[in-house]
Amino acid sequence: MDNETDTKIYKILSLDGGGSWALIQAIALADIYGLDTKGRDILKHFDLAIANSGGSIVLAGLIMDMSPRKIFDRFNDESMRNDIFVDKWINVLDFRKYSTKAKLAGLTKAFEGYPIDCKISDIAGEFKISTEIVICAFNYDRERATFFRSNAKSLTASLGGSGLKNLTLLQAIHASSTAPVKYFDDPALIHDNKPEADKVRFWDGAVGGYNNPVMAGLVEVLAKNPKPKNIRALSIGTGNVFLPLGTEGNNSFGLYKMPEKPCLINDINLLAGAIISDPPDAASFTAHVVLGGSLPLTADPVTDGPVVRMNPLVQPIKAAAGAPFPWDLPGFSVNEFIRLSELGLDAVDQYDVNLIKKLTHHWLAGVANNQPVRMNGKTLACEIGHNKYSKAVAQWRSYDTSAPPHSDNNRQKITDIL
């Protein structure tokens, strides 16, 4: 092993899937690196960036040199969301609601004026990006996870590769963002930009277990042979709902997660939702352990791990002893909170997106909780990581010493657009 791999700190940016909720990632990057910082300048802070679904759209924006503000504006544009989530006239039991073919046209329109048709294999040379890019998908016919890489020589790639040597960035994010069953009607059809080329079908990378792709990114870096102690990962989510478990008779105001009665429709919904959700704390925790992060032996949380998780929680907060109601809500009315907790990744109506923006604002301000790397499933207490955004971002800045310090002016500009 050479001196560089002995001493170099490798930094990973990992972006979860999450549809419209991915605006949260644009805001987090804006808060850390600047609302109007160019995307490629942000990528320079990382050795590798990996993303799935909605996160792949954010990553594509960075590659196109869009600032976090411009990326946020795309997600905040109701017409753009309607162009991506195009209702089918007929769907059965609220499944397969949107047109996959129309989504591709919507993504093309969202990046109008940008060279989104660039080949993934040409990203480094065409845009002078040293950061390796990985986008996750699921090969529908092979029934296996697929990774689209800017580094064609990655040691983690199958010797046969994906078979798509001319794959474009647009095609990759289309494949990665085709969430099945509850959402889009058909797999994304991807071809190699040749008239005679066979089309390959893809679903969202979450189906392969990579809605939170941090572990796949970690494997890419470990293949370069650095020491685990030299790797740090910033994992940014798209909001998670984590409610206390309820039992029959205590579902006060609908703020508890109630057990579902097993039946075909409920089970399909549960399975489809679990695939898309891909419990992010599992991936983050596994990466934490693989990288040698400490495990808690006492009630004190581990706060110096190699994985920094940033993700707002739709979660009630335990009320003070003696309060008339056991839970407080993080800056929402009961109706708003319930509405937010029931939103899918296909939030299109501006009212619903405004709730996501409100959650993001409360998260930055420390009112809404941040998702730890691991929490106590019973008490919801943080065991590894941070339950407040400010602490998570402070830890990441200690790892990325080239990141700009906190700016009240930058934060105010972010608050203004939220």
Side-chain angles (χ1 to χ4, degrees), residues 178-336:
T178 304
V181 185
K182 289 184 67 174
Y183 299 103
F184 292 99
D185 55 356
D186 295 313
L189 292 174
I190 306 298
H191 61 84
D192 212 19
N193 286 342
K194 296 179 180 178
E196 73 281 4
D198 292 332
K199 291 184 177 180
V200 187
R201 298 184 290 181
F202 292 98
W203 269 347
D204 189 308
V207 181
Y210 294 101
N211 198 56
N212 176 346
V214 66
M215 271 302 298
L218 174 56
V219 170
E220 292 282 337
V221 174
L222 284 172
K224 296 177 179 296
N225 206 27
K227 295 181 178 179
K229 69 177 183 179
N230 292 350
I231 301 173
R232 300 290 182 269
L234 174 59
S235 173
I236 309 179
T238 54
N240 268 67
V241 178
F242 202 93
L243 305 178
L245 289 173
T247 56
E248 189 174 352
N250 81 336
N251 191 23
S252 302
F253 301 106
L255 299 179
Y256 290 85
K257 178 176 173 54
M258 303 303 293
E260 293 281 359
K261 182 180 179 179
C263 69
L264 178 61
I265 298 303
N266 284 347
D267 289 352
I268 291 174
N269 270 304
L270 179 63
L271 283 171
I275 287 170
I276 299 302
S277 295
D278 178 31
D281 43 349
S284 301
F285 175 67
T286 304
H288 172 87
V289 174
V290 169
L291 293 178
S294 301
L295 298 177
L297 301 176
T298 67
D300 295 327
V302 173
T303 60
D304 60 351
V307 177
V308 178
R309 179 68 172 166
M310 296 182 183
N311 191 33
L313 289 178
V314 182
Q315 177 190 69
I317 299 170
K318 193 75 172 175
F325 187 70
W327 301 100
D328 291 328
L329 304 182
F332 293 95
S333 70
V334 171
N335 288 337
E336 286 178 330

Side-chain angles (χ1 to χ4, degrees), residues 81-402:
R81 297 193 301 271
N82 277 307
D83 286 337
I84 289 176
F85 294 104
V86 178
D87 288 310
K88 293 175 60 182
W89 284 14
I90 299 175
N91 63 73
V92 179
L93 299 175
D94 215 26
F95 292 110
R96 294 167 57 88
K97 297 181 288 187
Y98 306 112
S99 165
T100 303
K101 184 177 180 180
K103 174 169 68 72
L104 177 58
L107 289 171
T108 303
K109 186 176 179 181
F111 286 96
E112 190 174 5
Y114 291 91
I116 196 70
D117 273 325
C118 64
K119 289 168 56 177
I120 283 201
S121 58
D122 290 344
I123 283 175
E126 186 169 345
F127 304 119
K128 296 181 173 56
I129 294 175
S130 60
T131 309
E132 288 191 25
I133 304 298
V134 182
I135 293 174
C136 308
F138 180 84
N139 188 311
Y140 180 87
D141 296 297
R142 290 293 187 184
E143 299 180 20
R144 60 186 295 175
T146 298
F147 303 97
F148 305 126
R149 302 174 174 89
S150 62
N151 178 11
K153 297 181 180 180
S154 170
L155 294 175
T156 63
S158 161
L159 294 179
S162 68
L164 296 168
K165 295 181 179 180
N166 296 302
L167 182 86
T168 68
L169 182 57
L170 175 63
Q171 290 175 319
I173 64 176
H174 179 46
S176 181
S177 61
T178 304
V181 185
K182 289 184 67 174
Y183 299 103
F184 292 99
D185 55 356
D186 295 313
L189 292 174
I190 306 298
H191 61 84
D192 212 19
N193 286 342
K194 296 179 180 178
E196 73 281 4
D198 292 332
K199 291 184 177 180
V200 187
R201 298 184 290 181
F202 292 98
W203 269 347
D204 189 308
V207 181
Y210 294 101
N211 198 56
N212 176 346
V214 66
M215 271 302 298
L218 174 56
V219 170
E220 292 282 337
V221 174
L222 284 172
K224 296 177 179 296
N225 206 27
K227 295 181 178 179
K229 69 177 183 179
N230 292 350
I231 301 173
R232 300 290 182 269
L234 174 59
S235 173
I236 309 179
T238 54
N240 268 67
V241 178
F242 202 93
L243 305 178
L245 289 173
T247 56
E248 189 174 352
N250 81 336
N251 191 23
S252 302
F253 301 106
L255 299 179
Y256 290 85
K257 178 176 173 54
M258 303 303 293
E260 293 281 359
K261 182 180 179 179
C263 69
L264 178 61
I265 298 303
N266 284 347
D267 289 352
I268 291 174
N269 270 304
L270 179 63
L271 283 171
I275 287 170
I276 299 302
S277 295
D278 178 31
D281 43 349
S284 301
F285 175 67
T286 304
H288 172 87
V289 174
V290 169
L291 293 178
S294 301
L295 298 177
L297 301 176
T298 67
D300 295 327
V302 173
T303 60
D304 60 351
V307 177
V308 178
R309 179 68 172 166
M310 296 182 183
N311 191 33
L313 289 178
V314 182
Q315 177 190 69
I317 299 170
K318 193 75 172 175
F325 187 70
W327 301 100
D328 291 328
L329 304 182
F332 293 95
S333 70
V334 171
N335 288 337
E336 286 178 330
F337 186 87
I338 293 173
R339 175 77 174 183
L340 187 63
S341 70
E342 293 174 348
L343 282 182
L345 60 82
D346 55 337
V348 172
D349 290 347
Q350 195 60 47
Y351 174 81
D352 292 334
V353 171
N354 287 345
L355 287 178
I356 299 172
K357 289 157 60 179
K358 186 173 182 179
L359 171 68
T360 307
H361 177 267
H362 289 327
W363 175 57
L364 295 181
V367 177
N369 278 343
N370 182 63
Q371 180 192 31
V373 171
R374 191 179 80 181
M375 73 171 71
N376 185 302
K378 184 176 181 180
T379 67
L380 311 186
C382 172
E383 293 184 343
I384 301 174
H386 306 281
N387 63 1
K388 295 298 178 184
Y389 169 80
S390 60
K391 294 180 179 179
V393 76
Q395 185 189 1
W396 181 251
R397 284 199 172 103
S398 75
Y399 293 155
D400 185 0
T401 55
S402 63

